[in-house]
Amino acid sequence: MLFIFDMGGVVTNTFKMDSLYQKLGISKEEFFKICQEDSKIWPYFQNGFIDAKEFWNSFNKLTQGKIPPVKNDLFRLTFHPSKNMETIALIKELKAAGHRLVCGTNTIQSHWENHMERGDYSFFNQTYASNKIGISKPDKEFFNVILEAEGYEPKDAFFTDDRIENVLAARELGINAYHFDSASGFREYLHSMNVL
């Protein structure tokens, strides 16, 4: 069986970027309006088409005269998630039982590097990150890329994510998908499916 785990909010605890918005002096809504509505720099960054330096250069041009220019990669400097040890224990248990475990995550270069340094991806056989494969959830192609690379049919795969839109997209493909609320909740779901 193939298990696809999201990273943030599942393997690591959800990290709020409030300190980044505070440093910029703008709200989360204003930040994403600049990065997603006024431009497409966020999806370009998340899908690996631009790097952190290009992102912040573009951001500075878009906000010129409104806020002070950003000189450092604030995504790196403000990103400090913690590991969810219950989820990690479940991953290790599934792996020991002979299942294939992969991470399927939407991320950006700065956070990818941080997770790599911390060893957060080391629990998996393989990692499929949006910034590396050029596509992000909830696009169904994200899941198709993983299934094809791993050689599994949707019915033989389990996916868990804390974002319902990603879970629904996986279900539409026929993947067994669980909306993550806790490691114990996912464990109970797997028991009900006779996997554990």
Side-chain angles (χ1 to χ4, degrees), residues 2 6 23 29 35 56-58 63 65 69 79 96 111 122 141 164 166 176 191:
L2 175 68
D6 175 43
K23 193 156 182 67
E29 292 71 28
C35 300
W56 288 115
N57 283 342
S58 297
T63 58
F79 188 62
H111 293 175
S122 66
E141 193 56 28
I164 190 63
N166 299 336
N176 303 288
H191 274 299

Side-chain angles (χ1 to χ4, degrees), residues 16 29 38 104 190:
K16 293 190 168 103
E29 292 71 28
D38 298 349
L190 294 177

Side-chain angles (χ1 to χ4, degrees), residues 170-183:
R171 283 181 187 161
E172 284 179 29
L173 288 172
I175 296 170
N176 303 288
Y178 177 79
H179 185 206
F180 190 90
D181 54 353
S182 66

